[in-house]
DNA sequence: TTCGAGTTGAATGT
DNA sequence: ACATTCAACTCGAA
């Protein structure tokens, strides 16, 4: 008996899964001599080093359980194998008599390295490797090639190149395998027929009491139901404009399909196609603000991340402006735990930790606060916290968005700073969101709940929450911190320009440098438009 | 080399 | 609800 293996990593779905379909079709060509083994590899050794909080472990567990169910529909099942991927596959290639292994291509450096190892081992064992791209809408190698070998650094340039690319149509789930075909049991299964079962929460080291409210269950079926429910809201889909959605509504103002896209429970190509079907022939919003535009943002970040070294770091990252961030362990912990003394910021951070999802604009507010706005702490620290708590934590998007918000890449208007007081007021005058997630402030009236330090001591006592005792004092005074940090950003940008000019043009013009310095420190209302060029 | 555009700023006007 | 001002960034098209 021969075995065809499909290796699930991301892409935890049976719909629009070309690598899975390829494996199934191979088995269907020769069903009497070949069996299908769809596997997921769980590495207990790596679990300690991964930044995954309880909520995301639960999401993964549920996604695997549903994947197993959905594979049973095509008369297969999921085999969860415990161990290190390279070791496990080297062993199984032999024990299972594997002829072909298929998987979905992934850009993350960890995956690229691991997959390279596996490919080499497969070659040694004479196993065919079939790799399909299906995690994003576009083929980014094609986009990079059309952009003269470089990643696009703006959305619009990505969009214009993407418009010239073909999109593969999403595939249906694979055909069913014949029922009751001869299968085989390996020696582990003979010893323990449950050895490949989907892990329980406790096997993943998670107790249900560690998890927050169960708002977003994992899995492909859940993903498709959620998508279709949103697609029925034609007006919502057609008028959707991301910047106009609320970061602090009590029920999400956006679809919350991101965790499903992250794990590949939902195909981005399918969602993209369905969105276009709903908006076709109707007046509708456009990228970048539309819903389809949101999916293109995802592709944008995947594309640049796929070809940028050290994309998740500042140092050695060619797209990232070098900024001399400070360190402050106390401030970082206060931010992480929602104890900054700014109710809007703290409410967001507590929602994140409890529920694993916060609105995109809420992410903006807290990310700006941690980095260039208030605390002057590196975006890499914030990225780690998001990586742990977010259900949708996605390597490329997380790093890309942190660079955006800290004005380290893609976004350069560092003088536009979110106010931790007024930004949230626009969409939640009453402060209902704050009252939910920072309940110690629940008796504060609308006018003052965004800045409770303004209440007199007597009022604070009356409201049952004294600032500095029952709720923390502000870590920094925003209006002061913002000005100091903006100056630091200005200097960092200037230095970055110098470095850039130095690497491309070795000859340095000293006089011009002096001019720039003077201009940047003195305020000139209307500098003369025409500057005499020195040669 | 120049210049317009950039998903989502805040404060202060009308 | 929308316009203006604030002070000023980089990318990429022209």
């Amino acid at each position: 008996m021969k075995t065809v293996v499909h290796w699930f990593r991301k892409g935890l779905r049976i719909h629009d899964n070309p690598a899975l379909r390829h494996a199934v079709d191979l088995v269907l060509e020769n069903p009497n001599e070949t069996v299908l083994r769809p596997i997921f590899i769980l590495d207990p050794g790596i679990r300690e080093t991964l930044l995954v909080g309880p909520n995301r472990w639960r999401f993964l567990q549920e996604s695997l359980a549903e994947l197993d169910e959905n594979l049973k529909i095509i008369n297969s099942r999921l085999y969860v194998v415990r161990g290190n991927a390279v070791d496990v596959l080297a062993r199984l290639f032999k024990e299972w008599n594997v002829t072909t292994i298929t998987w979905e291509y992934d850009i993350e450096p960890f995956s690229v390295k691991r997959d390279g190892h596996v490919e080499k081992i497969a070659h040694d064992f004479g196993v065919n490797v079939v790799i399909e791209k299906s995690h994003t809408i576009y083929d980014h190698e094609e986009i990079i090639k059309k952009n003269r070998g470089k990643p696009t650094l703006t959305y619009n340039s990505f969009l214009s190149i993407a418009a010239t690319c073909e999109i593969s149509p999403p595939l249906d789930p694979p055909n069913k395998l014949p029922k009751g075909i001869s299968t085989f049991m390996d020696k582990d299964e003979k010893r323990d027929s449950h050895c490949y079962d989907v892990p329980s929460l406790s096997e993943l080291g998670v107790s249900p009491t560690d998890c927050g409210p169960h708002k977003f269950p994992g899995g492909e079926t859940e993903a498709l139901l959620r998508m279709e429910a949103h697609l029925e809201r034609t007006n919502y889909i057609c008028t959707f404009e991301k910047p106009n959605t609320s970061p602090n509504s009590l029920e999400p103002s956006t679809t919350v399909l991101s965790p499903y896209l992250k794990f590949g429970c939902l195909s981005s190509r399918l969602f993209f196609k369905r969105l276009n079907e709903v908006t076709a022939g109707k007046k509708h919003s456009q990228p970048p603000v539309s819903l389809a535009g949101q999916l293109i943002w995802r592709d944008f970040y995947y594309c640049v991340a796929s070809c940028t070294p050290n994309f998740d770091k500042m140092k050695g990252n060619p797209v990232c402006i070098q900024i001399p961030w400070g360190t402050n362990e106390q401030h970082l912990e206060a931010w992480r735990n929602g104890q900054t003394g700014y109710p809007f910021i703290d409410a967001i951070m507590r929602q994140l930790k409890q529920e694993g999802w916060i609105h995109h604009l809420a992410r903006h507010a807290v990310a700006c606060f941690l980095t260039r706005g208030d605390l002057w702490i590196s975006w890499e620290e914030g990225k780690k916290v998001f990586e742990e708590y977010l259900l949708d934590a996605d390597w490329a998007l997380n790093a890309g968005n942190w660079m955006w918000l800290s004005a380290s890449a893609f976004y350069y208007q560092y003088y536009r700073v979110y106010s931790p007081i007024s930004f949230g007021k626009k969409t939640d005058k009453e402060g209902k969101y704050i009252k939910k997630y920072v309940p110690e402030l629940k008796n504060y009236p609308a006018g003052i709940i965004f800045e409770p330090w303004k209440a007199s001591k007597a009022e604070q006592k009356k409201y049952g929450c004294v600032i500095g005792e029952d709720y923390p004092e502000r870590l920094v005074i925003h209006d002061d911190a913002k000005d100091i940090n903006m100056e630091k950003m200005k200097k960092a940008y200037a230095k970055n320009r110098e470095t850039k000019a130095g690497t491309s043009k070795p000859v340095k013009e000293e006089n011009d440098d002096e001019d720039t310095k003077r201009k940047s420190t003195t305020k000139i209302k209307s500098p003369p438009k025409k500057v005499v060029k020195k040669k």
Side-chain angles (χ1 to χ4, degrees):
Chain A
M1 191 58 76
K2 291 168 186 164
T3 303
V4 173
V5 168
H6 173 72
W7 179 18
F8 283 102
R9 309 96 62 81
K10 294 176 184 174
L12 302 181
R13 62 173 184 268
I14 64 165
H15 75 274
D16 191 27
N17 192 333
L20 173 67
R21 220 162 103 152
H22 187 103
V24 170
D25 288 346
L26 277 180
V27 173
L28 286 173
E29 275 172 27
N30 216 336
N32 295 323
E33 288 170 30
T34 326
V35 292
L36 176 73
R37 292 234 175 191
I39 65 167
F40 181 87
I41 302 175
L42 194 62
D43 187 346
I46 207 173
R47 242 184 33 217
E48 304 298 314
T49 62
L50 289 178
L51 276 173
V52 182
N55 285 332
R56 192 153 87 254
W57 279 122
R58 178 172 66 181
F59 195 96
L60 172 66
Q61 195 276 335
E62 291 164 345
S63 298
L64 292 174
E66 250 187 29
L67 184 58
D68 186 37
E69 290 304 314
N70 287 344
L71 286 166
K72 281 174 184 158
I73 295 171
I74 61 160
N75 297 319
S76 181
R77 61 160 287 189
L78 183 66
Y79 295 82
V80 178
V81 192
R82 279 78 173 165
N84 168 274
V86 174
D87 301 342
V88 158
L89 288 170
R91 176 169 58 81
L92 296 182
F93 285 158
K94 203 174 165 208
E95 278 181 26
W96 290 357
N97 192 20
V98 176
T99 56
T100 300
I101 180 167
T102 70
W103 68 70
E104 180 186 64
Y105 177 68
D106 185 30
I107 60 130
E108 294 185 24
F110 170 82
S111 310
V112 170
K113 197 175 160 195
R114 174 201 57 195
D115 296 351
H117 272 149
V118 173
E119 255 187 284
K120 194 184 164 293
I121 291 162
H123 182 260
D124 293 346
F125 280 87
V127 175
N128 289 321
V129 176
V130 176
I131 302 169
E132 297 278 3
K133 289 177 180 167
S134 46
H135 192 59
T136 52
I137 298 169
Y138 297 99
D139 178 351
H140 300 140
E141 275 179 64
E142 186 186 354
I143 294 204
I144 292 160
K145 208 171 153 192
K146 284 181 170 169
N147 197 45
R148 289 160 302 159
K150 290 189 138 190
T152 52
L153 297 177
T154 63
Y155 187 85
N156 278 338
S157 61
F158 181 87
L159 203 59
S160 60
I161 295 175
T164 70
C165 299
E166 291 270 324
I167 302 173
S168 313
L171 301 177
D172 289 331
N175 292 320
K176 284 187 183 185
L177 294 158
K179 231 176 184 167
I181 51 165
S182 58
T183 180
F184 78 97
M185 278 185 134
D186 69 18
K187 63 176 171 32
D188 290 332
E189 282 171 296
K190 278 176 191 156
R191 203 180 324 119
D192 171 13
S193 62
H194 294 293
C195 73
Y196 295 127
D197 284 2
V198 168
S200 64
L201 259 190
S202 66
E203 188 187 340
L204 297 172
V206 175
S207 146
T209 55
D210 299 335
C211 298
H214 207 178
K215 286 186 145 186
F216 315 111
E220 177 179 11
T221 308
E222 182 69 28
L224 293 170
L225 286 170
R226 195 174 185 91
M227 177 184 75
E228 291 299 337
H230 279 292
L231 288 168
E232 280 178 21
R233 304 162 65 198
T234 311
N235 187 52
Y236 174 80
I237 301 291
C238 289
T239 60
F240 185 95
E241 293 191 348
K242 186 64 155 280
N244 296 339
T245 56
S246 166
N248 48 4
S249 51
L250 293 182
E251 286 306 315
S253 60
T254 50
T255 65
V256 199
L257 284 167
S258 53
Y260 304 93
L261 291 162
K262 176 245 151 58
F263 283 101
C265 301
L266 175 64
S267 156
S268 59
R269 299 193 298 210
L270 176 67
F271 189 25
F272 192 68
K273 183 180 168 229
R274 296 286 288 111
L275 281 170
N276 290 333
E277 284 168 1
V278 170
T279 57
K282 299 186 189 75
K283 190 179 176 242
H284 61 88
S285 54
Q286 294 290 331
V289 295
S290 62
L291 271 169
Q294 304 311 301
L295 286 174
I296 297 171
W297 275 108
R298 175 175 179 272
D299 263 55
F300 167 76
Y301 284 125
Y302 260 88
C303 182
V304 56
S306 72
C307 64
T308 304
N310 300 304
F311 189 73
D312 58 354
K313 298 176 190 72
M314 179 176 80
K315 286 191 176 149
N317 179 344
V319 303
C320 184
I321 291 175
Q322 305 296 301
I323 296 167
W325 303 110
T327 49
N328 188 323
E329 217 32 68
Q330 268 184 327
H331 283 187
L332 177 60
E333 279 312 291
W335 177 81
R336 170 201 286 273
N337 296 313
Q339 299 286 346
T340 68
Y342 285 92
F344 178 57
I345 299 297
D346 292 340
I348 295 167
M349 292 306 291
R350 293 185 197 185
Q351 184 191 17
L352 168 64
K353 196 169 181 179
Q354 285 164 32
E355 301 176 5
W357 181 88
I358 52 178
H359 185 277
H360 185 67
L361 291 177
R363 301 180 196 200
H364 278 217
V366 297
C368 184
F369 186 88
L370 180 76
T371 57
R372 65 189 169 88
D374 295 82
L375 300 183
W376 198 252
I377 291 172
S378 168
W379 60 267
E380 291 178 49
E381 295 301 326
K383 179 184 65 86
K384 281 185 223 163
V385 173
F386 275 23
E387 193 176 325
E388 180 173 351
Y389 294 143
L390 279 172
L391 292 174
D392 59 33
D394 188 314
W395 184 78
L397 279 59
N398 198 20
N401 277 311
W402 271 99
M403 281 188 270
W404 180 291
L405 258 301
S406 60
S408 300
F410 315 119
Y411 181 86
Y412 306 96
Q413 288 152 283
Y414 62 78
Y415 40 84
R416 290 190 177 177
V417 178
Y418 290 90
S419 162
I421 299 151
S422 40
F423 185 65
K425 278 187 192 170
K426 285 188 288 191
T427 42
D428 180 25
K429 278 204 171 59
E430 304 281 307
K432 284 181 184 160
Y433 177 79
I434 292 172
K435 290 180 188 205
K436 176 170 179 182
Y437 293 101
V438 191
E440 55 267 48
L441 294 169
K442 66 178 188 295
N443 296 327
Y444 274 68
I448 212 165
I449 190 165
F450 283 84
E451 36 198 338
W453 55 86
K454 281 195 175 166
S456 69
K457 202 87 178 180
E459 284 171 322
Q460 293 181 14
K461 278 185 181 148
K462 195 178 95 193
Y463 303 142
C465 180
V466 176
I467 305 307
E469 289 175 27
D470 309 309
Y471 180 72
E473 300 270 10
R474 287 170 290 174
L475 294 182
V476 295
I477 310 299
H478 173 70
D479 284 337
D480 300 340
K482 173 194 74 178
D483 290 342
I484 294 166
N485 293 342
M486 217 183 279
E487 273 304 307
K488 290 185 189 166
M489 288 299 287
K490 195 176 187 172
K491 287 207 174 87
Y493 269 52
K495 202 175 171 190
N496 187 68
R497 270 196 303 273
E498 265 175 48
T499 314
K500 242 184 160 178
T503 50
S504 60
K505 287 187 229 163
V507 183
K508 223 175 155 188
E509 294 178 40
E510 302 254 333
N511 287 342
D512 279 0
D513 268 5
E514 282 305 307
D515 278 356
T516 325
K517 266 182 202 162
R518 184 176 51 79
K519 272 182 204 159
S520 66
T521 45
T522 55
K523 283 178 185 170
I524 297 171
K525 271 271 167 180
S526 51
K529 276 261 167 183
K530 290 198 174 172
V531 180
V532 182
K533 285 176 201 166
K534 291 171 198 168
K535 262 265 162 178

